[in-house]
Structures are given as C-alpha cells and as structure tokens.
C-alpha cells in the first residue's frame, strides 16, 4: 500500500529570475503562475537537435529533423524556469528538501524523464510513493542553459546560474503564494552534469553572503550525476561548432568554463573543498559511450566525475551521459541506486534533527556557573578525580566490602554528629584498600552526604603532593557548598596562584581562614586513599590535626599501609583530634568471593575449583594482588596435576613471587662476566662524576682483583651496551603493541624477527630460531630507519600529525585527536570533538589544546584530557588555522570568510571577537581580496601569514593590526601585470627564528623573514613542508612519497627516504631525531642515524658555543639516503624447486630459488606487473603487466646458470583478472572482465575465446581430474573441459547454516579499494567470489564470497565444500553441492586467508609448544585482526571446532594494503609477505603454537 501523499502540479514559483529577460515571442506560450510578476521568458531558440555535449550535424535540408527540432524547442519552452515544487507532504511540514538541478541543455522536467515521457518524470511520479519519502518536499530548478540559443554570444556563466538558484531558494513562493522557507530543514541537492557545478558555485557564493548563508548552512548532501568537476575535452569543440553553426548559434561563456581544468573550474574546486567536509557526497558516473553526431564517445571519464574527497561515495551507473538521470522504470537498477542513496540520506537526516531549544536557565544557575569558573581558575582544578575513582570502583565485586559498615570504628566515625574525627584505615599491600575506599565513597554519596575524595598515585607526580590534594578537596567542597564557593569567588580578586603554592599556604588561606568559619551542621566527609604514597604525609597529618577548630564537622578517612612513620605521626595527633584505627583484616569473605569468580569459568569440575579456592585463600593472607598474580599462573595450566604442582610451588609472599616471574631475565652464559658487567655499570651510574680508569680499577678490586685490560673490557661493554640500547628502542617501536599484550614474546618470537646483526638476535634469536621459526628473504642485516609503524584504524582517515616532548598527536577524519606516547607509541588519550575538526593547535607550553570544528571550538587541558571550554563558531566561518596567544588564555583564528578572530578562554563569557573583518581585508594597494588559500599563524599568535590567489605571500601583525611585509620573488617582479605572482602552496613558521617557510606551486622551497624584503629559495619538487619545533631542520614531501630532511639555516640536505606510498602529513620530533609521517591508514616513525648523529653533534657543539646558527655538521653521504626498493605488485609461490616469483612496480620480474640461492631477473618491462602464474611442474612462468602485455617464459634449469627464455608474447587488453595454468602444463587460461581466452602452451596458439558472463568469479583446476577446470561463481560450481572450454556440468551451491546460537555472530565486513582489474569500488559490484583455496589432501574447497553491504564495504562469507561431491560422472546433471559456512566465531577473526596447510598435533604449554605425535592434521591458515598468523583445524564436523591456534605475529612495518593483498603460504607451510620491495619468508612456524 502506498503512503498518503499529495502531488503538486508543476508550476513555476512567483519569483522573477535574475537571468536576462526578452519580450515574449508570439510562438512562445505564456508560463502560468506569474499573474502578479513580470513575465519570464527564455531566450529565443531556434530549431535544434542538440542535447548535452552533442556535436551538431548539418540536417538543415531534412524536414523531419526540422520538425523534431521544433518539437524539442517547444518542450524546452514548456518546462518552467526557476524553482518548482513537485511534491510536498499533505498533512505536515516537510522534514527534508530535495532540490534537483539539471545540466547543460537540460530542463526542469525533461532532464529527469526518460525519452521525454512525463510518466517517467521520476522525481514527481515515482519518488513520492517510495517508503520513507512521505515527509520530504521535492523541487526542480530550471535555468536557461541551452547551448542551441541563437543570436549574439551569451554572457551568462555558471556563477549567474548559481545566483539564480540562491535567489529562488531565498524568495521562492509556492502555488498558494506562500513562502517556501527553504533553509529551515536539511537540504539535499541532486545535480546532473553542469548542474553539479552550479550547485557547488551556489555553496561558495551563499556561504559568503549574509542573505543566503543560513540556507547554505542547511545543505547536508549532494548527489552528483556525471558532473564534470575537472571539465571535458568536448566543451571547447562544442563552442567552436556553435560559433560557425548554420543555425546562427553562438559560443557560450558557461560552455567555455566547462573545458578541462579551466580557471573557473579550478577556482570552484579549490573553494568547494573547504565546504565539502561537512557534506555527504555521492558521485555517480557514466560507464557507457554517448552518441555524439555520427559516432559514440565517452563524454566524461571517471576521473572527471569523481572529486576524490575522503568521505565521497562513488558509484558507476550503466548508462551514457544523457541517461544517468533518466530511468525506464522503478525497477531500473540505476534508479534503485539513486533512490537508495537518497533514502539513506533521509534516514540519516530525519533521525538527527535538532531538538527544540529548551527554556532559558534561571539566573541563579548562571551565577553559579560564573562563580565556579572563577573557582576553577583560582584552584587550577576543573573536575573531581573521577578517573581514579572509576578505576578502582570498576574493580569492585558486588557483595564485597559490605563488612566495613558493620564495624563500630566506622560507625562511630560516621554518625558522631558534632565533632570532627579521623578514621585511619590501614592494611598490608595488595589487600584491596583502594577498592574499599571507592566502596565507602559510593555509599556516602548514596546516603546524600557531602563527600569529597582523593587518591594519591605513586606513578603520577601530580597526584602525590599535598598541594594537589588540598586544591582538589577545595574544589569539590565548593561544588557542594555555596558558602565556600562565594568566599572563593571573592578571593579571586587577590590574584593568588594556588597551583604553585605550598600546602601550608593553601590550608591556611582556604580551609582555616574560610571553610572553618562557615557554620554548617551537616558534616563533610573526606576519603583520602594511599596516604603512604603521599610525598609529605607527616605535613598532611599536621595540617589535619587542626580540623577540631572548624565550625563544620569534618570526618576524614585516611587509607594506607601501616608504616612506622605513619604510626608515630598518628600517635602524636591523638592528643589534638579524635582518631579511630581500623585494620583491613576482615576481608576473608571478599577474598573468597574474588577467587570464586575468577575460577568460575575455568575448565575442571567443582571439586577442583573448591580445592583451588581453599588453598589460594589459605596462602593469600588477605593479599588480593598476590591472589591476582597466582591465579594468572594457575589459569594457564592445562592439567590438574600441573595445577596441583603450581599450588605447591608458588611462594606465599609477593617478593619471591616477583623473583620467580623475573628469573629468566637474569640468565647469562658467563656468570662471572655478568657480575663484572653489573659492577661496572653500578659504579658508572652511581658515581657523582666520571671515573678515571685507575679509580674504576680500584673500585673493582674487592671483587675482581686483576682485570687483564680494563680499557678493552669497558670498550667491549660499551659496544654491547650501544647495540642493546639501539635494540631496546627499536624493539619498543616495532613490537611494543604486541609486547604489551604478550610480554613473553620477548624471549621467543621477537628475537627471531630482528635483523641478524643485532644484539638480541645474536644472544637469543640464534638459539630460538630452530625451535620457534626461521626468517629469510631480507638483504638488510641491520635495523632499517623505520623505528615503528602502527595502524591508526582502517575505518577512519588520518589527516594531520603534531609532535611534542613526551607525546605526539594524530587528527583523524572522525574529529578525534589521538595522543600517543613518544617512547612506547602506545595510545595515551583521545580528545573527541564529536565533529570534523578543521584545525587544531597546542599551546607553547603544551598544557592546552584547541580544536576548531564545523560548529564548535573546544579547548582542552592536556594534563587530564578535560574539556576546558566549548564555544559556538561564527556562522559559515571555517578556520584555516588557529593558535594560542602569548599568555595561552586566548585563541586566535583566521577563517575563510576573511576574518581574524580572538577567543578569551578564561573570560566569563567565551565568544569569538572579530579582530579584523572581511570588510577590512584588502591588500596594501587597496584591492578587495577573496578567501585566503593558505594561512599560517605563528606560535605565539601575534602574526599571520596569508596567501591569496594571484598575490604574493604577506604577513599581518594581529596585535598591531597592520601589514608587516610581503614576499615577492625576483621572477615575479620582472613580470608585467598585477596578478601574475607565483601561487603559494603550504606555509609554516619557524617557531624559533620567526621565518616563514613554505612552497610555491612549482615545488620550490622558500624561507622569508617578514621584516626583510629578501627571501631565500631552493629548487626542488615538494608538495608538503613542516619545520622542526627547535627550528634547526625542516622536512618536505612530494607526491611520490619522497621524504627529505633539510638544514634550515643552510638549506643543505641531511636525509632522504624514498617510499612509494604517498604522504598525507609529516612532522619532526622536538629533538630533531625522528620523522613522523602518515601514509594510508598507518603512522610511520623514522629514526635514521643521520639525524641522530646530527643531533648529537649539535648537543656537543652547544656546550662550547652559543651561536644561534644551526650546526654545519652533516652526516656521512652513506647515511643521507634510505632508498626503499620498488614495491612488489605481484607474487606467485611455487611448489617445487622454485620458491617464488615476484613482480614490482617498475616491471621487473624476479625468480627466487630455494636454499638461499640468489634470485634471477626474468624480464624487465616498463609497466607494473599485475599478474604472475607458475606451473605446478616449475616449467612455465607467465606474467602480465598493467599495459596488457602478457609474456610466457620457459624455465630452463638444466645448465649451471638457470635461464628463462621467452616463448611468446601477446596483448590481453585491460581488466585482466586471472591467469591459470592447467595441472599438466598444457594450457593457459586468461580471464579478463569481458572475455576468457584459452591458449595452448605447447603450440603457442589461442585455442578459443568466449565472453566472460560472470566477471566476479574465480577459476581453479579440478582437484581430482586434471582434464577439467572449474569456474567458481557465487551460486554455482561450473565444470569445463580444459582442451575446449566446453561446459560439462553445473553444481549448485546448497548453502547450509547448522550452528548453535553461540556461533551466530555477525558476518565479517571487509573494506576493499579498487584495483586495476576491478576499477569499481566493491559496493558497486554484484555478489562475488573473492578467493578460492584447496586443501592439500584435496578433500575440501574453501570459497571466500562477498556481497555489497555499504559504503565501500563488503560482507564476507567463507563456505566449505567437499571436493568428492564434484563428481565428473554426473556433470551433465545440475546436482547440488553442500556448501557449509565455517563457524562465524572463526570467520570474525579472519583478516586475510592464506591457504591450507598440513601440521602435526601440538602438546600445549606456556609460550611456544613443541611437536608431539606424527598424525597429520589439515588446517586453514590466516592472518587475524590482531596481526597474528593463526590456524584452524578442518574436521568432519565444521560446527564443532571453533578452536583457533596462534603461531606468531607479523610486525606492523611489514603490513600495508598491498602486502596484505599478496601475502600467502606455500604447500610446505612457508609464509610469504612482501615488505619494502623484498619478500619475507617465514618457516618452521606451523609446528609451534603460541599459548599465553
């Protein structure tokens, strides 16, 4: 049943257009609906058969053509101009507006109607009847864009049409002469062809015009249908034809603007890029040729139809340029695609409608807010210590800790109504005191008491001081007590800095002088945990001893260990304040509860669990930490005997338990050498000054009377220490993420994965390689310059990176600023802005951070990640850069609306104040400027560098509000004209010297001091640039992924790195030793020796000189470059003597033999290698490149020097999908998107060719019959004869799901990017077979299938079939083959399937297992989501087995999207993974299983 709706008759709105009007023609019908307005007419048009981009043939003598032209002209006149309402809701106001904009030569109705049939006018006839569109208002906009109009040259351009659109949206009326009020609800534009450019221009004009800014701000999405974002090569040709047309046509300005890369298009694209991030963009592009005169051609290529923006969703439509917006029926796949896109936008926008504004808050609430902001600034505290409270509260178990409220000591402390008291709660380490404190806090707050609290933390210096405690207590008390809040508000006028004050000062000024004088009957309860971890506990107790003078009863609970110092201090306090002592010695029930919960889900019967609970609780002596460590050991045991042995051997104290856990770290081959090394290090570290050799020798004599040569010994020790120092830093960077989760990997897996000359490999790796795994394939024997590589997340895009002393920050497209530790590279904190962030900046002290989003600006405290302020942004002002002011209390922004603004963070009313408006924004010669293209504000927010189109870079003084100077190139000064200056690219500031550093569009680097006219330039090719925080270096990048580090003062190249993946952003560390870059979804951290040596040289020179110039010492030439090999693009693994064959991006094919023999170069081409196939017998090698060149080589290994002579070569065309050689090496199958070819390798001829009816399939050799080949499609397995490609039968896949509820987890969703063989994004393709794998025993066939499930994502399913079901005898029957889905619990872990392998069962133990038994087991191997190589046993009952075994993890710097695509295993179980132009080969891993 259709939903109720009301269609509107298509009538023009009562709005005069701003296009040129002419007197009505007697042959032109009047347009209805304009009785009270001037008549609106189109320019007079003559007969024409032109359509969008069509070239005009001469049909002047053809009467039929003339009649056709008259009809088309009349149709255009009949279609109304302006904004026309097609449909609006019947009973309610619309919630979304959909506006359609036609293109060149189109009209408001016929553009959207197939064959100009009004019944196919889908926006009016079909769309309103679709479910979900009932509340949407649908409109169509018409404008005079007919290129066939006659007369003199038309001066209208795209901007004029955009203004017409804005005018119609602003002043449009419906047929009842009611205002449309466009802009009150979200707007979705649907634009065809040039209409997309009109919409983009309307965005640009509207956001800069106050009359239309509110309307444009309501726009949420655009659907582009074949929009020429970069123009078309037909536009110039069309204008030429129009100029000489026999129909008296004329060239048009708006057609001239459509030529490829015209200035108008470049300007639109550059400015629209600033608007696009807040929009949802769909780009549909044509895939069929359009009839242009007597022939057909592509009007728009895909590259011109797609913007290439990060969040853009692109999709092909099976149509030509005319029909991408016209559809045959509601079942037309093209219509369904467009409708579904609109439907998803409607669903998204209607569920996210803004709520109605609430009533204004009462005045007293406003006063409280003002007072609290004053208190926060006074105390430098902005929140309660909830993070610590939540940490310990999260470890509380229901039913525990309740015993404490039955103890008389606590009840006396709690209920004594008149006096102040102290309760000292003490216990042994690890007995759960902090959890108990959080429980008491929770109970007190639940009772409605005024409770303040604080947790001393030994690991955080800011939480160990008396100052921090007292400020936090004062803040929390002020939140709850208006009296104290008022007193502190008055105190703010004294300009006291309490964050740096001594504890006694804070106690006296806030507590004794103010809080203690407040009269209040209800007590204050203070719970202070970990008193023994306070830096000055005795001082704190002395201060607390004076609470008896307070008018408010104060009850303090102090929690900590019972040390001798604290016991004595409490005894001295007893005479001045009432103190109760309570020992945590009654936690036996809590301990039993904790142990019972921990062992609840372990394997074993109830008898065993009860025994574990009894023994552990008996030995624990109330120590929860001991229990936690012991249970971790017990839960790793796999037999009852092992558990019993562990219970007997475990020590009963923490110290020997730690010694047991760390005993492996103290092992060494030479105990004497170890002791000597320990003594040398001890004396070296503990000595207050450097020791001479003689002094060190004397110090060693009590233990080592005679050292043969101490200098040599120290030299050897220093060399070893140097190696270990480098190794430990590299290990943290490369393996830190895995070591945090699996610490034991440092003893087994990590050493084997390290280079062979490193200390850890020589000392540990050689011994473990035999029993763990082997690594071959790398030519480098030392660490490379990549210190670390980690994934930022494949569901978001990284945008910008910034470095600090102890952390670095990465901004991602979801509006999150992610902070990482500079040493471990592990995540520290996230600052979530909840919208796309346009710009951000840290304060010079790195204590604050500002993030500027689309709608709000937020200021954060870097100490605790707390949000300090959130301010609404000016409407339609998009910040191009932000910075803090000198005192870090203000934020400066420069926006695309040509305004500089200031925000006072600490002010009572935080709003943006305009410092320089767009009305004042003109250059030194008085010219009005457009939006700046490049903006950079210096570190202290006093100067801003601005680059405008056609003008030189200039610097503006923000505080003085005047120009400082502008940077003119010598080459620009010699030009004639005013607007011929070189365009400026990215710019930045040197934070130390005050220079502006930047790039021109020609790639040239420049530095310029604003107070001087001269600048220095360096000729190179760069697209990105950043200066180091210390001002001594800067780093550049280009589009090819080349990274270069330069000395700032001398422009000398210090280091360069060639890496093929393009760079998104980059930065230098504050000490200049590391380079950070963002590529794809990964962050790379480079630490080259060149930068380390340069930094060390600068440190040494700084001790003897005070010159401001940078160091002139450069690294050795051998250290200035780190060129990475050409990336591999194809990989094939052999089954016989040839290990693998690889092809790279430069067209080089190499064949690698086993036994570490050198590889041989097979061929050298010019195009990247796309496909490689090796025959099973190792005789033939087939390669194909992206240019469509296929080469067949024969591998000759008969002589001493192997060779690969060429057999034959052919062209395949584009879109090659698969190469397959028959099992007997007689035939070659070549599969492209459009056809399938069969070649005979023996005769070197093509046997047959057939159309490829299913391009989303995969071909395999029949596992049990070498004469047959199988095509695996999404629904069938089709068998063909190899010799003829004649179909022999078809087996339908009968997909079954026979799993329990626990296994019914969601299917895996995988992201894929387009490839050469599959240029469409995955969500545009049909159901597909991605990969096929055959088990080594030829019993099973695994199909990896997928289907579209959203934006560039596909749902993946893994189906297993039995090969015995592929019977050749019944191939003519369409019999079914059972296809069982592997357990979804297993599928959810798979990142990339590698293949089948055979292995022996394991005997499990901690760490890596060893082989036991000889029974062979068939397993499926894969890379899991955590980068571990895993295996899953394939048995007769797939559903019964969900056990996944982990073997080793793949280092992060091996992985990127390309290497992940090519990674595979061979039949003998070796793992192959490309890395930096080489192939890592890992062996011996399948026989070892990792167990935590």
């Amino acid at each position: 049943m259709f939903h109720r709706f009301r269609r509107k008759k298509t009538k023009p709105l009562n709005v005069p257009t701003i296009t040129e009007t002419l007197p009505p023609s007697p042959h032109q019908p009047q347009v209805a609906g304009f009785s009270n307005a001037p008549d609106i007419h189109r320019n007079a048009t003559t007969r024409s058969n032109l359509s969008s981009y069509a070239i005009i043939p001469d049909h002047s003598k053809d009467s039929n053509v003339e009649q056709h032209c008259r009809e088309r002209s009349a149709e255009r006149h009949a279609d109304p101009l302006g904004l026309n309402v097609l449909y609006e809701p019947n009973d309610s106001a619309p919630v979304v507006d959909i506006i359609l904009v036609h293109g060149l030569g189109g009209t408001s109705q016929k553009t959207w109607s197939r064959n100009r049939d009004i019944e196919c006018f889908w926006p009016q006839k079909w769309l309103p009847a679709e479910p979900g569109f009932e509340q949407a208002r649908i409109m169509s906009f018409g404008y005079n864009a007919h290129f066939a109009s006659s007369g003199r040259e038309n001066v209208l351009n795209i901007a004029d049409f955009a203004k017409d659109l804005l005018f119609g949206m602003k002043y449009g009326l419906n047929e009842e002469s009611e205002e449309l009020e466009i802009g009150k609800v979200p707007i979705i534009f649907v634009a065809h062809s040039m209409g997309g450019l009109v919409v983009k221009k309307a965005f640009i004009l509207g956001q800069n015009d106050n009359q239309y800014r509110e309307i444009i701000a309501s726009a949420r999405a655009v659907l582009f249908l074949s929009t020429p974002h970069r123009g078309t090569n037909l536009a110039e040709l069309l204008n030429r034809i129009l100029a000489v047309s026999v129909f008296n046509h004329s060239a048009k300005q708006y057609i001239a603007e459509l030529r490829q890369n015209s200035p108008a298009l470049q300007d639109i694209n550059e400015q629209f890029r600033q608007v696009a991030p807040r929009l949802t963009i769909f780009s549909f592009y044509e895939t069929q040729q359009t009839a242009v005169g007597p022939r057909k051609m592509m009007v728009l290529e895909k590259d011109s139809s797609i913007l290439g923006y990060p969040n853009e969703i692109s999709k092909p439509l099976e149509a030509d340029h005319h029909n991408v917006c016209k559809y045959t029926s509601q079942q037309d796949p093209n219509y369904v695609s467009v409708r579904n896109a609109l439907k998803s936008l409607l669903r998204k926008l209607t569920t996210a409608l803004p709520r109605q504004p609430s009533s204004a808050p009462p005045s007293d609430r406003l006063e409280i807010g003002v007072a609290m902001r004053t208190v926060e600034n006074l105390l430098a505290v902005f929140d309660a210590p909830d993070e610590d409270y939540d940490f310990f509260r999260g470890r509380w178990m229901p039913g525990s800790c309740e015993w404490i409220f039955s103890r008389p000591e606590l009840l006396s402390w709690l209920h004594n109504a008149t006096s102040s008291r102290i309760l000292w709660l003490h216990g042994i380490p690890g007995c759960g005191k902090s959890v108990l404190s959080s429980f008491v806090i929770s109970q007190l707050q639940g009772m409605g008491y005024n409770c303040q609290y604080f947790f001393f933390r030994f690991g955080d210096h800011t939480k160990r001081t008396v100052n921090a405690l007292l400020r936090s207590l004062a803040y929390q008390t002020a939140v709850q007590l208006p009296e104290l809040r008022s007193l502190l508000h008055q105190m703010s006028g004294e300009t006291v800095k309490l964050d740096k004050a001594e504890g006694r000062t804070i106690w006296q000024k806030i507590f004794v002088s103010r809080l203690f004088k407040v009269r209040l009957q209800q007590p204050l309860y203070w719970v202070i945990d970990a008193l023994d971890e306070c830096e000055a506990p005795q001082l704190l107790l002395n201060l607390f001893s004076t609470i008896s003078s307070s008018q408010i009863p104060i009850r303090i609970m102090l929690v900590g260990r019972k040390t001798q110092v604290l016991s004595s201090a409490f005894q001295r306090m007893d005479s001045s304040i009432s103190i109760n002592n309570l020992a945590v010695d009654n936690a036996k029930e809590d301990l039993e509860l904790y142990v019972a919960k921990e062992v609840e889900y372990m394997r074993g019967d109830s008898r065993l669990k009860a025994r574990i609970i009894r023994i552990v609780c008996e030995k624990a002596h109330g120590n929860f930490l001991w229990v936690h460590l012991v249970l971790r050991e017990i839960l790793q045991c796999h037999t009852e005997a092992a558990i019993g042995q562990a219970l007997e051997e475990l020590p009963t104290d923490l110290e020997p338990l730690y010694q047991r856990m760390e005993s492996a770290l103290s092992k060494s081959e030479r105990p004497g050498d170890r002791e000597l090394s320990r003594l040398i290090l001890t004396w070296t570290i503990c000595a207050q000054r450097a020791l001479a050799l003689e002094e060190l020798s004397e110090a060693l004599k009590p233990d080592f009377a005679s050292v043969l040569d101490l200098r040599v010994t120290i030299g050897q020790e220093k060399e070893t220490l140097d190696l270990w120092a480098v190794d430990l830093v590299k290990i943290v960077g490369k393996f830190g993420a895995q070591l945090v989760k699996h610490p034991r990997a440092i003893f087994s897996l990590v050493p084997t994965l390290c280079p062979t000359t490193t200390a850890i490999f020589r000392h540990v790796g050689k011994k473990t390689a035999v029993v763990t795994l082997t690594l071959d394939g790398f030519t480098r024997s030392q660490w490379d310059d990549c210190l670390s590589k980690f994934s930022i997340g494949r569901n978001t895009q990284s945008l910008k990176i910034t470095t600090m002393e102890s952390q670095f920050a990465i901004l991602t497209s979801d509006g999150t600023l992610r902070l990482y530790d500079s040493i471990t590279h592990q995540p520290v904190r996230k600052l979530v802005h909840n919208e796309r962030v346009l710009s951000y900046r840290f304060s010079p002290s790195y204590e604050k951070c500002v993030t500027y989003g689309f709608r709000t600006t937020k200021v954060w405290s870097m100490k605790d990640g707390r949000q300090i302020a959130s301010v609404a942004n000016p409407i339609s002002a998009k910040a191009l850069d932000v910075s803090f002011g000198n005192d870090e209390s203000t934020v400066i922004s420069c926006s695309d609306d040509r305004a500089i603004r200031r925000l006072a963070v600490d002010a009572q009313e935080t709003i943006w104040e305009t410092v320089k408006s767009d009305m004042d924004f003109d250059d030194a010669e008085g010219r009005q400027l457009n939006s700046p293209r490049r903006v950079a504000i210096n570190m202290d927010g006093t100067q801003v560098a601005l680059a405008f189109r056609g003008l030189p870079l200039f610097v503006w003084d923000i505080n003085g509000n005047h120009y400082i100077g502008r940077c003119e190139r010598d080459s620009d000064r010699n030009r004639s004209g005013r607007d011929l200056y070189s365009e400026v690219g990215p710019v930045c500031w040197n934070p130390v010297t005050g220079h502006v550093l930047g790039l021109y569009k020609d790639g040239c680097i420049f530095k310029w001091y604003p107070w001087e006219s001269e600048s220095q330039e360096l000729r190179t090719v760069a697209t990105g640039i950043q200066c180091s925080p210390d001002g001594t270096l800067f780093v550049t990048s280009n589009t090819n992924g080349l990274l270069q580090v330069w000395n700032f003062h001398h422009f000398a190249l210090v280091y360069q790195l060639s890496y093929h993946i393009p760079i998104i952003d980059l930065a230098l560390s504050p000490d200049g030793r590391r380079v950070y870059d963002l590529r794809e979804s990964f962050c790379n951290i480079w630490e080259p020796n060149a930068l380390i040596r340069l930094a060390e040289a600068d440190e040494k020179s700084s001790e003897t000189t005070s010159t401001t110039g940078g160091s002139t010492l450069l690294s050795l030439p051998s250290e200035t470059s780190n060129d990475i090999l050409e990336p591999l693009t194809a990989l094939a693994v052999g089954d016989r003597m040839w290990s693998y064959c690889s092809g790279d991006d430069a067209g080089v094919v190499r064949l690698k033999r086993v036994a570490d023999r050198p590889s041989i170069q097979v061929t050298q081409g010019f195009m990247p290698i796309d496909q490689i196939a090796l025959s099973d017998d190792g005789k033939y090698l087939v390669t194909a490149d992206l240019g469509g060149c296929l080469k067949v080589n024969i591998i000759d290994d008969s002589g001493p020097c192997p060779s690969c002579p060429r057999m034959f070569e052919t062209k395949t065309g584009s879109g090659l999908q698969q190469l397959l050689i028959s099992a007997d090496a007689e035939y070659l199958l070549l599969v492209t998107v459009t056809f399938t070819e069969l070649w005979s390798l023996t005769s070197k001829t093509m046997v047959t060719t057939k159309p490829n009816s299913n391009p989303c399939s995969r071909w395999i050799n029949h596992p049990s019959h070498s004469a047959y080949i199988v095509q695996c499609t999404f629904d069938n397995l089709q068998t063909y004869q190899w010799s003829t490609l004649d179909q022999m039968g078809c087996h339908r896949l009968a997909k079954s799901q026979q799993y329990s509820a626990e296994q019914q987890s969601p299917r895996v969703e995988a992201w894929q990017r387009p490839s050469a063989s599959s240029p469409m994004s995955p969500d545009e393709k049909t159901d597909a077979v991605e990969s096929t794998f055959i088990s080594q025993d030829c019993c099973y066939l695994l199909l990896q299938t997928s289907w579209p499930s959203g934006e560039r994502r596909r749902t993946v399913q893994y189906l297993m079939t039995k090969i015995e079901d592929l019977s050749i005898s019944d191939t003519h029957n369409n019999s079914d083959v059972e296809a069982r889905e592997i357990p979804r619990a297993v599928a959810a872990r798979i990142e990339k399937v590698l293949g089948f392998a055979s292995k022996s069962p394991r005997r499990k133990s901690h760490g890596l297992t060893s082989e036991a038994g000889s029974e062979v087991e068939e397993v499926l191997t894969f890379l899991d989501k955590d980068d571990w190589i895993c295996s899953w046993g394939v048995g007769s009952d797939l559903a019964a087995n969900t056990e996944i075994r982990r073997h080793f993890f793949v280092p992060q710097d091996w992985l990127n999207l390309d290497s992940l695509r090519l990674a595979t295993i061979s039949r003998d179980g070796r793992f192959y993974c490309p890395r930096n132009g080489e192939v890592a080969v890992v062996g011996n891993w399948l026989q070892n299983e990792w167990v935590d």
Side-chain angles (χ1 to χ4, degrees), residues 749-873:
L749 296 180
V750 169
T752 310
L753 297 173
C754 294
T756 55
T757 60
T758 59
I760 188 171
F761 181 86
R762 291 189 300 183
H763 288 80
V764 185
K766 286 183 178 180
K767 303 172 187 177
T768 61
V770 177
V771 296
T772 55
L773 46 86
T774 60
L775 175 62
D776 300 305
F778 292 151
T779 57
R780 290 182 179 268
S781 59
Q782 298 177 344
W783 293 111
D784 59 20
D785 290 345
C786 183
L787 174 65
S788 177
K789 178 181 179 179
F790 61 91
S791 174
I792 302 162
R794 290 169 184 163
N795 295 324
T796 186
Q797 182 184 7
S798 55
L799 302 176
K800 186 175 179 58
I801 185 168
T802 304
T803 60
M804 297 168 281
E805 290 291 342
S806 59
Q807 297 177 353
F808 62 94
I810 298 176
L811 176 67
T812 54
S813 57
D814 58 359
T816 301
L817 192 62
R818 304 164 189 257
L819 302 176
Y820 298 84
D821 187 274
S822 295
I823 298 176
T824 64
H825 312 147
Q826 297 302 299
V828 175
R829 184 181 290 118
K830 292 182 180 180
L831 305 181
V832 182
H833 193 99
N834 291 322
E835 62 176 336
R836 181 104 178 201
V837 173
L838 302 177
S839 183
Y840 73 94
R841 181 74 69 90
F842 293 95
S843 63
S845 65
Y846 297 109
E847 293 182 357
K848 296 179 182 177
C849 176
V850 58
T851 55
Y852 191 108
F854 277 110
R855 291 177 290 274
T856 60
T857 297
K858 298 182 180 180
V859 183
W860 311 81
S861 170
M862 294 306 298
K863 293 182 178 179
D864 51 8
R866 181 178 45 81
Q867 180 180 309
I868 299 175
S870 179
V871 184
N873 293 336

Side-chain angles (χ1 to χ4, degrees), residues 301-357:
E301 298 294 339
K302 175 183 175 182
D303 290 343
S304 184
S305 302
I306 294 178
L307 289 162
Y309 293 164
N311 295 325
E312 178 187 19
I313 303 169
S314 61
K315 171 106 174 57
L317 296 180
E318 294 296 326
D320 59 17
H321 188 75
H322 300 314
N323 293 322
V324 291
C325 55
K326 304 176 180 72
Y327 313 117
T328 56
S329 68
Q330 289 179 264
Q331 288 73 41
D332 189 326
N334 294 336
Y335 169 76
V336 171
S337 297
V338 174
R339 179 205 63 192
N340 289 347
L342 287 170
K343 195 170 185 178
S344 68
L345 290 171
L346 283 171
R347 189 184 307 113
K348 174 183 176 182
L349 294 175
T350 54
T351 56
L353 289 175
R355 299 178 180 178
Q356 295 295 326

